[in-house]
Amino acid sequence: QQQVKQSPQSLIVQKGGIPIINCAYENTAFDYFPWYQQFPGKGPALLIAIRPDVSEKKEGRFTISFNKSAKQFSLHIMDSQPGDSATYFCAARGNFGNEKLTFGTGTRLTIIP
Amino acid sequence: NAGVTQTPKFQVLKTGQSMTLQCAQDMNHNSMYWYRQDPGMGLRLIYYSASEGTTDKGEVPNGYNVSRLNKREFSLRLESAAPSQTSVYFCASSDVQGPSMVYGYTFGSGTRLTVV
């Protein structure tokens, strides 16, 4: 089954801390792993993405770490700010001839001042 | 601004009523999708359309129908609404690109539907 398991369900971190959100997958046919950020009342927006041929990708304060052998990937937010408070979704796309994404269940992140 | 436009933003239906959620994108994307978002369940795919004229079922298609009217528009219809269909519905579109290119979905702002 094409599942992506995400944890934790919610996370509270103090400003300046480094929240870490983890995802795991089973299907080795997945070849693209994006993260989406969603603010209340808005649709999800692409934040950062990685392919399995690299172990890490950084964009600004956001970093994806990817462990192909363990079939796990995680999002790290450096120097977190209250404005980073949002729901984060990991996702995976398989090389099945279509562009469908399978999403994790989401993590509600709260950064407290 | 370019993007995905969904209408309506809010809707309350009585059980058994029907309605159509509209979605249009102006990015010339080939693929379009309908997802529902429920607490603790993440985003679940209802239907998708890889190109104009084609539609396929996703993870939770029961109770829904779709129409890919043209390349821009992809509508979702509830023929006989049920309380279990109370949810936030998102339309999205994407480019079809090769594996060496980064791509992503562009989501609309959602339709919050309540069925009473």
Side-chain angles (χ1 to χ4, degrees), chain A residues 72-91:
Chain A
Q72 296 175 347
F73 58 110
S74 59
L75 177 70
H76 302 232
I77 305 175
M78 307 302 174
D79 187 28
S80 58
Q81 301 296 314
D84 297 328
S85 297
T87 299
Y88 292 82
F89 293 95
C90 62

Side-chain angles (χ1 to χ4, degrees), chain A residues 1 9 31-32 34 36 38 41-46 49 51 57 87 89 93 97-106, chain B residues 31 33 35 37 40-43 45 48 57 90 94-105 107-109 112:
Chain A
Q1 190 171 354
Q9 189 171 4
D31 66 352
Y32 177 78
Y36 284 78
Q38 183 182 30
K42 303 292 186 183
L46 179 64
R51 294 193 184 275
K57 183 173 182 180
T87 299
F89 293 95
R93 184 195 73 171
N98 60 57
E99 303 297 309
K100 289 193 298 181
L101 289 175
T102 300
F103 285 86
T105 51
Chain B
S31 300
Y33 314 84
Y35 282 86
Q37 182 176 16
M41 303 291 286
L43 292 155
L45 182 64
Y48 72 101
K57 294 179 181 179
F90 287 100
S94 73
D95 264 345
V96 177
Q97 296 184 0
S100 62
M101 300 182 70
V102 175
Y103 88 106
Y105 284 14
F107 282 87
S109 57
R112 187 174 296 273

